[in-house]
């Protein structure tokens, strides 16, 4: 290889790294996934994971035990990608006030929603140094704090951090839009490549009855994604009769009597159903403000069943293609 070509390789690698957004760097403990921030002005987004993929649905949090995560920041940034119509209408020259008498026009309504969403993004994603630039009142008598006693970020109520000073609010808003808007929008576009995400959805369910010695197993409730602590409005989309039965009937979890004796599961004991799923924006469900509904379908027909929310005690599997059900 010619010497001048060899010398160009490091420079080419630097250019590629600069142009390619950093998406995911998995942490060493294998229980979280980190989305690196595009600059030092923002905090990284950290989410719980399972087997190397993002964990959605029910997540596990124990203060002082589990690593801190910020799923609200992830949710708000992903929403930003899909509410472009609000941001197109957002007035970047002044703050759009909310009108409660029903006379506001659609563009003003969109502008107000986008500005509220941007304010929420700022409180969730900006470092404390950046927040002090835009949200600490000019004549503050004491240092501004943006983290509560539990280590959580406080919601910011006003641009400039001063309810009574509209001039400070406007300066704060315009400066933030100039310095941050395009960068945040670019960051939001790095999520949900091809408008989908492969992740694990964890659904808390329960044992529906005592051990069935005739069927050699436990009957469990087949709830799918009863809650979502990472993405708002996450709903299950079944594609055949078996999948529809997941939410409508009790499912047989086959377990030999000897193992059942060790597990000591009782009626109403909590269990956790883990499904590998494809997540995508739900076009059929109406949006509520800046919150985008998402849906998921099964990526793998085998559901993993765990005894604990930490997902360390796997007790069995259920094949959706070969369900045994009852009402």
């Amino acid at each position: 290889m010619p010497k001048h070509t060899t010398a160009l390789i490091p420079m080419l690698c630097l250019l590629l790294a600069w142009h390619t957004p950093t998406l995911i760097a998995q942490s060493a403990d294998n229980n979280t996934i980190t989305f690196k921030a595009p600059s030092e002005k923002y905090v990284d987004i950290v989410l719980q994971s399972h087997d190397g993929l993002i964990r959605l649905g029910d997540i596990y949090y124990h203060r002082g035990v589990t690593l801190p995560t910020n799923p609200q920041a992830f949710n708000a940034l992903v929403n930003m990608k899909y509410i472009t119509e609000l941001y197109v209408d957002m007035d970047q020259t002044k703050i759009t006030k909310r009108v409660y008498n029903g006379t506001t026009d659609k563009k003003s309504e969109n502008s107000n929603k986008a500005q509220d969403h941007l304010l929420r993004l700022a409180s969730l994603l900006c470092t404390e140094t950046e927040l002090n630039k835009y949200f600490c009142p000019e004549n503050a008598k004491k240092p501004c704090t943006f983290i509560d006693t539990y280590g959580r970020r406080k919601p910011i109520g006003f641009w400039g951090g001063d309810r009574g000073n509209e001039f400070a609010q406007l300066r704060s808003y315009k400066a933030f839009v100039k310095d941050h808007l395009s960068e945040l929008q670019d960051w939001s576009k790095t999520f949900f490549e091809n408008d989908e995400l492969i992740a694990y959805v964890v659904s808390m369910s329960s044992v529906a009855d005592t051990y069935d010695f005739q069927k050699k197993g436990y009957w469990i409730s087949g709830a799918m994604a009863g809650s979502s602590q990472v993405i708002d409005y996450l709903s299950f989309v079944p594609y055949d009769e078996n999948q529809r039965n997941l939410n409508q009937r009790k499912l047989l979890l086959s377990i030999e009597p000897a193992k059942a004796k060790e597990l000591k599961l009782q009626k109403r004991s909590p269990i956790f159903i883990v499904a590998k799923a494809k997540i995508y924006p739900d076009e059929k469900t109406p949006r509520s403000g800046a919150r985008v509904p998402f849906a998921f379908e099964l990526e793998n027909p085998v559901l993993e069943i765990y005894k604990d929310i930490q997902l360390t005690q796997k007790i069995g599997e259920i094949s959706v293609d070969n369900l045994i059900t009852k009402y």
Side-chain angles (χ1 to χ4, degrees), residues 77-92:
L77 198 57
V78 168
N79 283 347
M80 188 183 211
K81 176 176 180 174
Y82 294 105
I83 56 171
T84 53
E85 72 280 3
L86 301 187
Y87 276 94
V88 166
D89 287 343
M90 190 178 80
D91 192 332
Q92 299 187 18

Side-chain angles (χ1 to χ4, degrees), residues 86 89-91 96 107-115:
L86 301 187
D89 287 343
M90 190 178 80
D91 192 332
T96 307
K107 186 171 182 177
S108 295
E109 182 181 341
N110 286 349
S111 178
N112 175 261
K113 290 177 180 178
Q115 289 175 356

